[in-house]
Amino acid sequence: MAVALLITFETSQADHIMTQLRAYKEREFDRNPPRGFIASSIAQEGGKVVFRSEWEDDDALENTRDSAPFEACLDLCDIHADDRKDEKIEF
């Protein structure tokens, strides 16, 4: 079953988080997409930044979540975030 990972950052510094997520998306997902990757999007909604990625299955998502580049990107985003919520959605 396909899954999506929805990460919502609440922040007063949305531009820093948007920059990090765009750089990660371009460097990792657009140039050399991991196995099982379908699509991703980044949006700013008021004081929130929403990062959504879609995957063919749960294993593909978990392989990427455990990767050093993904963890490093989220660590940089967490520096500027006031709060973060991760949600996995099946579709």
Side-chain angles (χ1 to χ4, degrees):
M1 176 175 284
V3 297
L5 176 62
L6 182 67
I7 304 174
T8 305
F9 296 96
E10 290 189 32
T11 180
S12 57
Q13 301 180 63
D15 55 329
H16 294 303
I17 292 175
M18 295 286 286
T19 299
Q20 291 299 327
L21 291 174
R22 278 192 192 114
Y24 177 81
K25 179 183 178 303
E26 291 171 3
R27 185 179 61 248
E28 301 293 331
F29 288 164
D30 294 345
R31 290 185 190 164
N32 189 22
R35 180 191 61 79
F37 172 74
I38 298 172
S40 66
S41 64
I42 306 162
Q44 183 177 350
E45 302 169 2
K48 296 182 181 182
V49 174
V50 179
F51 177 71
R52 179 184 174 117
S53 59
E54 298 178 16
W55 302 86
E56 290 178 1
D57 57 41
D58 202 36
D59 289 339
L61 169 61
E62 291 308 316
N63 286 339
T64 298
R65 285 181 83 169
D66 288 341
S67 73
F70 192 74
E71 290 179 352
C73 174
L74 295 183
D75 286 348
L76 288 171
C77 291
D78 283 337
I79 290 170
H80 301 287
D82 301 323
D83 192 28
R84 173 179 150 188
K85 177 182 162 193
D86 294 24
E87 181 179 5
K88 186 165 52 171
I89 305 164
E90 295 182 7
F91 60 99

